[in-house]
Amino acid sequence: AAAAALGLLPLGKTQSPESLLDIAAREVAEKWPFQRVEERFERIPEPVQRRIVYWSFPRSEREIYMYSSFNTGAEDPAATGGAA
């Protein structure tokens, strides 16, 4: 009720608290690429790896569209010097 009053949750909705694993994995995923995490630490437990990878993917439709439509120009004949 207090969270709803503060505007953190929609009225009438309750949530269970996030696990410390999810909170930490989300923070890591927001700040560092997974490859860098793998290079930096020798042993990362598999459940931790899975949650970091999960949080590494975009959440909003706009971000998903932006990443899915990314084009390096390699398919563009003009970009590679080929004939159009």
Side-chain angles (χ1 to χ4, degrees):
L6 294 173
L8 300 175
L9 294 173
L11 291 175
K13 298 260 182 171
T14 60
Q15 287 183 322
S16 56
E18 280 188 282
S19 70
L20 183 57
L21 172 59
D22 271 330
I23 294 168
R26 187 177 65 238
E27 289 296 317
V28 167
E30 288 175 358
K31 291 179 178 36
W32 297 290
F34 186 71
Q35 180 181 355
R36 193 169 184 195
V37 174
E38 282 185 311
E39 291 169 353
R40 172 74 169 87
F41 301 100
E42 288 182 28
R43 302 179 108 206
I44 305 170
E46 193 167 328
V48 176
Q49 289 180 31
R50 282 195 305 259
R51 296 316 293 170
I52 293 171
V53 169
Y54 172 82
W55 287 110
S56 294
F57 286 93
R59 298 279 167 251
S60 74
E61 187 174 331
R62 184 181 66 82
E63 289 177 327
I64 293 169
Y65 177 76
M66 181 179 72
Y67 286 108
S68 67
S69 64
F70 180 71
N71 185 358
T72 61
E75 297 174 9
D76 182 7
T80 59

